[in-house]
Amino acid sequence: MSTGKTESDGERLRAADPQIADLVDAENARRDGAVSLVASESVSTPAVRAALGSVFGDKYAEGYPGHRYHGGCEVADEVERLAVARARGLFGADYVNVQPVSGSTANQAVYAAFAQPGDGLLSLSLRHGGHQSHGSSANFSGRWFSPEFYELDMATERIDYDRVREAALYYKPRLLVAGASSYSRHIDFAAMRSIADECGAILWVDAAHIAGLSIAGIGPDPVAYADVVTVATQKIMRGPRGGVILARAEHGEALSRAVYPFLQGGPFVAAIAAKAVTFAESATDDYRAYARRVVENSAALADRLTDGGLRVVSGGTENHLAVVDVSALRLTGRAAADALSTAGIVVDKAVLPFDPEPVNQGSAIRVGTPTVTAGGATAADMVAIGDRILDVLASA
Ligand code: DSN
């Protein structure tokens, strides 16, 4: 006889695979027991997780809506069309591709659509806050293309657009890249547009980190200036892990072919459904209030750490992250991150601009506020977290 009780997903997993169920519980306990300041993470919403775990995870749908290799794609087509329409409205872009499985894959598609092996690119140096997919020698982008890098100004620790212009006119890159993984200041996309026009480059904005602020109106909008913009939905936006490409209409065909069939096979339809949920959730006042709090919390944390005697790169932050110099405490970034981790505060080690330490040690930590803000943290909480960081590092 039925008890009327339905088994939860967790109970079904435990019955089928107790080892993985234990690890899920362990990760929940780890996350709940720590203060996570990893700048590139947040907490996906319940609706996003429901879409990710839905029946669409089973569906193969190679191709694009209306033009699939597989049969039975009529509902998957509706999902993808809805995701594209919502993203178009949210970002204000002509062309949208929601199929890239990650931000890095979206970046690969940009190379595939706009460049030939050997072509030049000009991007922010990885050691100054750039991203490995922008030409690092360890990444395909550095091996198959010809990268040159701009660095931050030594005094201001900000992008010096005059020097970017000089380098761009000298190297005449095919791709001018604006975007970073560890830069706490707004990027002047209008200045980058004018530099790209002067040197005849395609302007690509990798907005993986900051897209969630732009759509909330609290950061500059890259779509208005760039030829192509790449986005990651799992960061500030609280969506599934995944990438999105936004572009001017004339680049759409090349980008579509670059994603499929050049780079990917069947897209993750469940992830596309979850992206659609994210685009709807990100268009609400609640989301905009969250994004505002992310930035307020980041400023509150940076201010507290500064008042406590630490130096914050560039003197502060305008976005969701700050890079904090720990060298005055005679610590490497790695040692500081390890000490904080032991105390239940999770951060990333980082390098300073012009850091004498190797990348795997660094002299800094990167702190970000999307996760704690999703958990309800206020500016007062950030002051308390800042105090705890200062205490832990002082005795490390
Ligand atoms: N570069 C990684 C980060 O910022 O954490 C992923 O984008």
Side-chain angles (χ1 to χ4, degrees):
M1 199 175 77
S2 163
T3 59
K5 200 176 154 201
T6 50
E7 218 179 3
S8 70
D9 286 348
E11 286 164 340
R12 275 192 287 271
L13 177 60
R14 178 155 298 287
D17 191 333
Q19 277 181 291
I20 288 294
D22 282 348
L23 292 173
V24 171
D25 287 349
E27 176 60 4
N28 273 320
R30 183 201 68 78
R31 190 166 81 167
D32 292 349
V35 172
S36 176
L37 298 175
V38 174
S40 48
E41 291 177 356
S42 188
V43 182
S44 56
T45 67
V48 163
R49 285 200 293 278
L52 264 183
S54 73
V55 65
F56 288 116
D58 296 341
K59 188 70 195 99
Y60 240 118
E62 268 182 22
Y64 289 98
H67 306 278
R68 305 282 192 185
Y69 171 76
H70 299 93
C73 289
E74 52 282 358
V75 188
D77 281 0
E78 280 189 53
V79 168
E80 187 164 343
R81 286 194 180 107
L82 188 58
V84 167
R86 286 180 181 176
R88 201 175 268 137
L90 184 66
F91 293 102
D94 302 331
Y95 169 82
V96 174
N97 194 312
V98 293
Q99 292 197 4
V101 297
S102 71
S104 287
T105 313
N107 291 355
Q108 288 172 30
V110 171
Y111 290 102
F114 292 105
Q116 296 296 321
D119 278 353
L121 67 139
L122 180 64
S123 65
L124 178 63
S125 159
L126 183 62
R127 289 187 64 104
H128 287 239
H131 190 257
Q132 57 186 2
S133 63
H134 302 170
S136 149
S137 59
N139 184 264
F140 87 101
S141 56
R143 194 173 307 170
W144 292 352
F145 299 92
S146 302
E148 299 291 344
F149 302 101
Y150 50 91
E151 297 185 337
L152 301 183
D153 177 77
M154 198 178 263
T156 64
E157 299 181 309
R158 300 184 189 212
I159 295 171
D160 176 340
Y161 295 92
D162 290 335
R163 282 174 56 195
V164 177
R165 175 175 285 104
E166 245 172 62
L169 291 174
Y170 182 80
Y171 291 115
K172 297 245 185 298
R174 172 73 180 142
L175 290 167
L176 176 62
V177 191
S181 268
S182 202
Y183 184 64
S184 63
R185 296 294 173 177
H186 293 321
I187 294 179
D188 185 343
F189 298 126
M192 287 298 207
R193 174 77 262 164
S194 108
I195 295 167
D197 288 342
E198 278 181 62
C199 72
I202 294 287
L203 177 60
W204 162 26
V205 174
D206 183 343
H209 267 262
I210 54 90
L213 300 180
S214 307
I215 56 174
I218 42 178
D221 173 19
V223 175
Y225 299 101
D227 293 285
V228 59
V229 177
T230 47
V231 169
T233 46
Q234 75 273 16
K235 299 185 198 271
I236 297 173
M237 292 174 71
R238 307 189 59 182
R241 296 193 67 86
V244 179
I245 303 173
L246 314 167
R248 297 184 173 181
E250 67 263 33
H251 303 309
E253 197 178 329
L255 285 161
S256 292
R257 286 177 194 281
V259 174
Y260 174 84
F262 188 77
L263 284 172
Q264 293 187 181
F268 297 175
V269 182
I272 292 175
K275 287 174 193 174
V277 171
T278 300
F279 301 145
E281 292 186 333
S282 302
T284 61
D285 286 342
D286 277 356
Y287 174 79
R288 285 186 279 272
Y290 158 76
R292 254 197 321 277
R293 281 198 306 276
V294 167
V295 175
E296 286 163 8
N297 284 347
S298 177
L301 180 58
D303 286 351
R304 180 64 201 114
L305 295 175
T306 305
D307 291 347
L310 293 179
R311 191 181 75 82
V312 172
V313 167
S314 82
T317 177
E318 293 165 336
N319 61 23
H320 60 302
L321 67 83
V323 180
V324 184
D325 184 348
V326 294
S327 61
L329 300 170
R330 300 189 180 284
L331 290 171
T332 62
R334 176 184 283 270
D338 287 348
L340 289 167
S341 172
T342 303
I345 300 175
V346 184
V347 304
D348 294 316
K349 65 182 182 313
V351 284
L352 298 170
F354 308 99
D355 200 321
E357 293 287 341
V359 170
N360 66 358
Q361 296 297 322
S363 300
I365 54 172
R366 183 185 71 165
V367 292
T369 49
T371 300
V372 288
T373 306
T378 62
D381 296 321
M382 300 319 297
V383 171
I385 291 170
D387 283 338
R388 181 83 184 114
I389 290 174
L390 291 163
D391 282 350
V392 170
L393 293 185
S395 52

